[in-house]
Amino acid sequence: MRELANGAPAVKARQEIEDHLRAVVRAYDGETPLTIGLVAVDDRCVGGSAKEWFFRTGDDQYRIRCHLHVTAWFGADPARIADVLDAVFTTGDRAASAGAPAASVPFGHNDYRDRLVDYYRDHGANPTGPDTPEPAQISDTSQTLSWDTVRSSVRTPVEEPEACVDDGPPVTRCLREPASTTVAEVRARHGMVFRLDLANAEYYKVLKSEGPVRTG
């Protein structure tokens, strides 16, 4: 498995997907009021399991599968959360009108998001309904953007990343950039935290039926 994970096809695919996901993070940092504070990269290649007889997950069909997940934490001013969200949605509108480039913000204005902004401006009710928790997340198939609650009596903060416990490139990589920064420090610096989760991307796989693979 290590040979496959270190082979030229896997290395090329890994670099391409990581470059793409980091470009998405840069789009939020550069095109919205959010300020990047911390980035986590979790990369893992796993070998296929033995023949599955009872619980069929499909893992036994593969010699190797590799996935990469990128999460980013941004700081923002809680007093401006309505303006921040509105600006994020405006950035999404621009991306959509430009043909939605791949490394972009996918969240544009719609009825729910307009009501979400109005809620944070105290111009409207909770868009999820009366007596419901403060909304603190939007998502689509590729991204989830969540944030610290700021209006609830009991605050729910965005969580810290899990600690790196397994880092053995090229089979596993666990990066925290900057390594010494915590989400709590980002919150203390800016007032609140937004978290961007980019979909777990499968970037390389080899079926057992494909036989030996020559690398390098």
Side-chain angles (χ1 to χ4, degrees), residues 13-163:
R14 181 180 298 119
Q15 191 63 58
E16 287 176 352
I17 193 63
E18 185 169 341
D19 287 348
H20 165 68
L21 296 178
R22 286 181 180 273
V24 175
V25 172
R26 288 195 299 272
Y28 276 88
D29 183 53
E31 300 174 23
T32 79
L34 298 173
T35 302
I36 189 66
L38 174 65
V39 176
V41 177
D42 293 285
D43 183 10
R44 180 172 296 271
C45 295
V46 296
S49 62
K51 178 68 175 178
E52 296 176 323
W53 294 103
F54 298 106
F55 301 102
R56 303 293 181 93
T57 66
D59 284 347
D60 60 342
Q61 300 176 39
Y62 296 92
R63 298 178 65 199
I64 188 173
R65 282 201 290 186
C66 300
H67 297 80
L68 190 141
H69 186 82
V70 171
T71 310
W73 289 262
F74 303 84
D77 181 352
R80 298 186 61 246
I81 184 171
D83 293 336
V84 170
L85 287 169
D86 195 27
V88 169
F89 303 151
T90 298
T91 301
D93 291 338
R94 285 200 302 267
S97 66
S104 64
V105 178
F107 305 114
H109 284 94
N110 60 22
D111 179 67
Y112 173 81
R113 294 168 192 158
D114 288 343
R115 289 188 290 121
L116 181 64
V117 172
D118 286 343
Y119 165 74
Y120 279 115
R121 293 195 197 282
D122 289 324
H123 293 168
N126 187 331
T128 60
D131 302 319
T132 59
E134 177 183 345
Q137 178 178 295
I138 52 176
S139 62
D140 75 348
T141 56
S142 64
Q143 301 182 21
T144 297
L145 184 67
S146 54
W147 53 89
D148 293 343
T149 57
V150 297
R151 298 190 56 167
S152 305
S153 57
V154 178
R155 300 296 174 87
T156 304
V158 167
E159 295 180 349
E160 298 280 347
E162 294 183 1

Side-chain angles (χ1 to χ4, degrees), residues 185-206:
E185 289 171 342
V186 177
R187 183 176 296 111
R189 190 178 308 129
H190 297 278
M192 72 174 297
V193 170
F194 279 71
R195 170 175 169 153
L196 176 67
D197 283 278
L198 301 179
N200 197 29
E202 181 180 88
Y203 63 85
Y204 182 67
K205 60 185 178 183
V206 176

